[in-house]
Amino acid sequence: MARLLRNASSLRHSFFAAEVLVLEKGSWEHPPSSVTFLLKGRKKSKSSDESDCNEENLSKKELALRQALDQITTSFGKGSIMWLGRSISSKNVPVVSTGSFALDIVLGIGGLPKGRVIEIYGPEASGKTTLALHVIAEAQKQGGYCVFVDAEHALDPALAEAIGVNTQNLLLSQPDCGEQALSLVDTIIRSGSVDVVVVDSVAALVPKGELDGEMGDAHMAMQARLMSQALRKLSHSLSQSQTILIFINQVRAKLSTFGFGGPSEVTCGGNALKFYASMRLNIKRIGLVKKGEETIGSQVLVKVVKNKHAPPFKTAQFELEFGKGICRESELIELGCKHKFIIKGGGAMYSYNGQSFRGKDAVKQFLSKNDSEREELMTKLREKLLGKTDKEKESETEAVDEDLAEGIIPLDSTDEEVTAVEA
């Protein structure tokens, strides 16, 4: 009996050895189950050895970072932390045009960025609301929905329609207090269905406590705390919904307490809006546009005080026609004359593409009636202003470096002092 058992075990060992040898030579297309089990065991041991080798090759820092990333992803979900250069999101920021060709060029990215806070501030009758309505009109041309929060209760529907706003598809709110206005803005932005929200203006966002109090009561920093809390809540939902939130703000005169050189103007609503805004545009009227004895518009200067997407402190000028808005043909003519695409001769004569015009109004009418000619001029100007060669950029930087010693201006100086220094 013992001899039979020894013979059976020897036959079994020889059978397994023969199966493995024949499989290694490649003669069996369909190996038996016993050989498959052996190979699976070998593969598992090889993969475990390779993973051990990879973990040994990684440093302690990389292993700790990988474990931390896995823990964050498990706790907060996929996409809560990612590598910036390896993410799928596009590097170009989506924008909405401002309605002014010169201002779009000055902003550096072609318009106002989506998903950001924008502040437009300046003195009275400088064109703040008109510029915001132009942004709404451009967003509606792209098929977007817009909201106008009229805290001042002073929106003119006729002006909005003349600028190009489709008032049938414009949502309007005239809130009773600041808390109601900002709660409405928060709800609208969280819906993710609106492209532009305009709040006109921060100074008119009166806190409820101030409305309930008596006239003359002191309410220290109540509006500033309200704006700070609202911006903390809105910043995340803005980036998720890709909504442009435009705050129109007023300016107040400030008595200088630090002697000569202090700021002469401050904006309403505290300092939180200055920090949360990706762009701050200071708009002011620098002259009037007259036709004979009649004043038909105003000349406006916009200074980019803050810009997170391009170099700041650039300026753009354009005309605002009363009851019509930004005159795009006028700024194209000015830029065309500056860059020699439109030749200005004596006696108010202009020539463009071999055609002569008498007076600026004739050139305006020609560009307004001929869309192809206007688009061609805009393309030339865009290539000239944005497509500078490396030699031109180097020469500009060298010229700036030479003038640095003479052009240094203190940060707290006013615009009048800047003009005096530059002169």
Side-chain angles (χ1 to χ4, degrees):
M1 188 68 182
R3 187 181 297 173
L4 289 174
L5 290 173
R6 283 196 299 271
N7 292 334
S9 64
S10 62
L11 285 173
R12 186 179 300 168
H13 286 301
S14 62
F15 176 71
F16 280 122
E19 283 180 345
V20 173
L21 287 173
V22 172
L23 183 62
E24 288 178 353
K25 290 180 181 179
S27 58
W28 279 353
E29 294 181 358
H30 302 285
S33 60
S34 58
V35 180
T36 306
F37 178 76
L38 287 173
L39 289 177
K40 284 183 180 179
R42 287 186 181 181
K43 287 180 182 178
K44 286 181 181 178
S45 62
K46 286 182 181 179
S47 62
S48 62
D49 293 340
E50 289 176 358
S51 62
D52 292 339
C53 293
N54 290 333
E55 290 182 358
E56 289 176 0
N57 293 331
L58 294 175
S59 64
K60 292 182 178 179
K61 278 187 177 181
E62 291 172 342
L63 283 172
L65 178 61
R66 180 181 291 181
Q67 291 174 0
L69 294 179
D70 292 341
Q71 184 178 356
I72 291 171
T73 305
T74 305
S75 301
F76 302 105
K78 188 177 180 182
S80 55
I81 188 168
M82 64 189 75
W83 298 101
L84 177 61
R86 306 176 195 174
S87 59
I88 308 174
S89 60
S90 61
K91 297 181 180 179
N92 296 326
V93 181
V95 297
V96 174
S97 174
T98 60
S100 168
F101 180 81
L103 185 55
D104 288 345
I105 296 296
V106 161
L107 291 175
I109 56 175
L112 301 181
K114 290 186 176 182
R116 302 300 180 99
V117 178
I118 312 295
E119 183 185 8
I120 303 174
Y121 69 96
E124 73 283 355
S126 56
K128 304 182 292 295
T129 304
T130 303
L131 182 58
L133 289 174
H134 272 282
V135 176
I136 289 176
E138 295 295 329
Q140 286 182 340
K141 289 178 183 177
Q142 299 179 6
Y145 291 100
C146 304
V147 180
F148 194 95
V149 181
D150 186 19
E152 294 183 352
H153 299 259
L155 178 64
D156 184 9
L159 175 62
E161 290 180 355
I163 287 173
V165 176
N166 184 4
T167 55
Q168 301 292 328
N169 291 331
L170 176 64
L171 290 169
L172 175 66
S173 174
Q174 294 181 331
D176 298 327
C177 60
E179 287 86 353
Q180 180 183 344
L182 294 172
S183 298
L184 182 145
V185 170
D186 186 24
T187 305
I188 286 289
I189 290 174
R190 286 179 186 275
S191 69
S193 57
V194 176
D195 290 351
V196 178
V197 177
V198 177
V199 179
D200 186 13
S201 65
V202 175
L205 296 177
V206 186
K208 193 174 181 181
E210 186 174 342
L211 287 174
D212 295 338
E214 296 293 333
M215 193 72 69
D217 291 348
H219 303 278
M220 286 295 294
M222 189 178 291
Q223 190 182 38
R225 290 197 300 270
L226 175 64
M227 286 295 299
S228 181
Q229 182 185 15
L231 289 168
R232 284 197 301 269
K233 293 182 66 176
L234 290 170
S235 58
H236 174 68
S237 55
L238 271 177
S239 62
Q240 297 292 326
S241 62
Q242 292 293 295
T243 303
I244 301 176
L245 178 56
I246 300 175
F247 283 102
I248 298 174
N249 211 344
Q250 301 175 7
V251 292
R252 299 285 186 268
K254 180 181 180 182
L255 296 175
S256 180
T257 57
F258 301 101
F260 179 76
S264 61
E265 291 181 347
V266 291
T267 53
C268 304
N271 292 326
L273 186 55
K274 298 178 183 178
F275 290 96
Y276 281 97
S278 293
M279 287 183 180
R280 299 184 72 225
L281 308 179
N282 184 7
I283 181 171
K284 60 178 63 178
R285 184 169 57 188
I286 59 174
L288 299 175
V289 180
K290 291 190 175 183
K291 189 175 182 180
E293 296 296 327
E294 183 185 0
T295 303
I296 61 171
S298 60
Q299 188 76 18
V300 169
L301 174 70
V302 179
K303 183 177 181 181
V304 184
V305 179
K306 180 181 178 181
N307 193 349
K308 288 187 177 181
H309 299 277
F313 300 110
K314 293 184 178 181
T315 58
Q317 291 188 24
F318 50 85
E319 291 182 6
L320 285 180
E321 294 184 358
F322 296 148
K324 295 181 181 179
I326 297 174
C327 182
R328 195 152 190 167
E329 289 79 13
S330 178
E331 59 179 344
L332 289 176
I333 292 170
E334 294 294 333
L335 290 172
C337 292
K338 183 179 179 180
H339 297 284
K340 308 300 181 183
F341 293 116
I342 297 176
I343 300 172
K344 184 178 181 181
M349 294 297 296
Y350 294 86
S351 62
Y352 174 67
N353 282 350
Q355 301 185 39
S356 298
F357 305 94
R358 184 173 182 83
K360 192 175 180 180
D361 291 336
V363 188
K364 285 183 183 180
Q365 292 178 4
F366 172 75
L367 292 176
S368 61
K369 292 179 181 178
N370 297 276
D371 295 337
S372 59
E373 297 288 343
R374 185 174 68 249
E375 292 295 331
E376 181 184 353
L377 180 58
M378 289 172 62
T379 304
K380 290 179 180 179
L381 287 171
R382 194 175 286 109
E383 291 176 354
K384 178 71 176 179
L385 295 170
L386 298 179
K388 293 182 179 179
T389 60
D390 295 335
K391 292 183 179 179
E392 290 176 348
K393 291 181 180 178
E394 290 176 1
S395 62
E396 286 181 1
T397 53
E398 290 175 0
V400 169
D401 292 338
E402 292 176 359
D403 296 337
L404 275 179
E406 300 178 358
I408 295 176
I409 299 168
L411 288 177
D412 293 335
S413 59
T414 59
D415 292 336
E416 289 80 5
E417 295 165 14
V418 171
T419 307
V421 171
E422 289 177 350

